[in-house]
Amino acid sequence: MGLFKKNPFGHILFLKKWLIRSLGLITHQRYKGFNTLEIEGSEIIRNLPDRKVLFVSNHQTYFADVVAMFHVFNASLHGRDDSIKNIGYLWNPKLNIYYVAAAETMRKSLLTKVLAYVGSVSIERTWRAEGKDVNRQVKMSDITNIGTALNDGWVITFPQGTTTPWKPLRKGTAHIIKRYKPVVVPVVIDGFRRSFDKKGLLIKKKGILQSLVVKEPLEIDYENESIESIIEKLEYAIEQHPSFLKVIPEEELLAYEEKNKQRKWRS
């Protein structure tokens, strides 16, 4: 019966492990072959508790960002220091890693349904649906599902809710932080927009230096800190606060994102 043990979302764990291994084997060269992934913060990953950890990150593609995190987190937990070399870490992956994604996106194809099974906590977006702007109530079942995932393990979320840089963070993330009181770990990524198509499934350019930086957990007063204060703290931590645009004009920032001015291509 242990073979058919399930997680809180009803996923059969041996099947989930097989899918994570397969996905890892298929995608490894996207970060350690066709392109180079520069990593910081492996020691932070190893010092985190096994559950109630919320990773908060900026967002550049639908799927390549989170797949890179699956690689980095598992490699770090298996003793790799800022590296994903030697893919043996895939044979015993951490199974209680989840990521928050739009239900609409995860229903689109067989591939996205497989990716959802690997670890998606699917939610209904309150601000956009079917390519149009909407304004609807947050589903309490979505909030509960994120809480269930946090109570079981680690959750990755992209609070801007879009792959477009410099957009405001959604306040729902701060509400989740105040309600469930997780350890909040900022992650800053770069290079994925240049490497992959928007979905993060196809390689757009080779020889790109990607980066993934895991920062120290944030200090948050869960009881007394306001939603606005938490949002501002998150914006600074994932380097998406509007003040960054005062240092470098937005047009210039978007230009170097597209033309790779900040990092050189590596062959």
Side-chain angles (χ1 to χ4, degrees), residues 148-174:
T148 299
L150 282 169
N151 287 328
D152 185 61
W154 294 358
V155 176
I156 301 164
T157 188
F158 304 97
Q160 288 171 293
T162 175
T163 57
T164 303
W166 317 111
K167 293 296 183 180
L169 272 63
R170 301 288 167 179
K171 292 184 178 180
T173 302

Side-chain angles (χ1 to χ4, degrees), residues 152-210:
D152 185 61
W154 294 358
V155 176
I156 301 164
T157 188
F158 304 97
Q160 288 171 293
T162 175
T163 57
T164 303
W166 317 111
K167 293 296 183 180
L169 272 63
R170 301 288 167 179
K171 292 184 178 180
T173 302
H175 284 286
I176 288 167
I177 289 170
K178 285 183 70 71
R179 179 171 180 175
Y180 293 106
K181 302 175 176 58
V183 176
V184 180
V185 181
V187 178
V188 178
I189 62 170
D190 190 33
F192 294 85
R193 186 178 291 112
R194 296 187 292 275
S195 306
F196 304 103
D197 67 334
K198 186 173 182 178
K199 291 182 179 179
L201 298 175
L202 300 177
I203 296 173
K204 186 167 66 177
K205 292 181 180 177
K206 298 179 182 180
I208 300 293
L209 176 61
Q210 306 157 342

Side-chain angles (χ1 to χ4, degrees), residues 8-28:
F9 295 96
H11 299 158
I12 300 172
L13 294 187
F14 86 87
L15 176 57
K16 183 173 180 177
K17 180 182 287 189
W18 182 83
L19 287 172
I20 290 174
R21 286 176 181 171
S22 301
L23 179 65
L25 289 169
I26 291 170
T27 60
H28 187 259

Side-chain angles (χ1 to χ4, degrees), residues 56-67 69 99-102 105-106 125 127 156-169 187-194 197-200 238-240 257:
V56 181
S57 177
N58 62 313
H59 202 17
Q60 296 197 341
T61 72
Y62 291 174
F63 299 111
D65 310 1
V66 74
V67 172
M69 291 182 201
Y99 61 98
V100 179
T105 300
M106 305 314 294
R125 288 185 294 193
W127 65 94
I156 301 164
T157 188
F158 304 97
Q160 288 171 293
T162 175
T163 57
T164 303
W166 317 111
K167 293 296 183 180
L169 272 63
V187 178
V188 178
I189 62 170
D190 190 33
F192 294 85
R193 186 178 291 112
R194 296 187 292 275
D197 67 334
K198 186 173 182 178
K199 291 182 179 179
I238 65 172
E239 302 178 10
Q240 293 293 302
E257 279 286 337

Side-chain angles (χ1 to χ4, degrees), residues 25-38:
L25 289 169
I26 291 170
T27 60
H28 187 259
Q29 284 294 102
R30 294 153 65 94
Y31 312 103
K32 188 66 178 173
F34 299 120
N35 296 295
T36 301
L37 181 60
E38 185 178 82

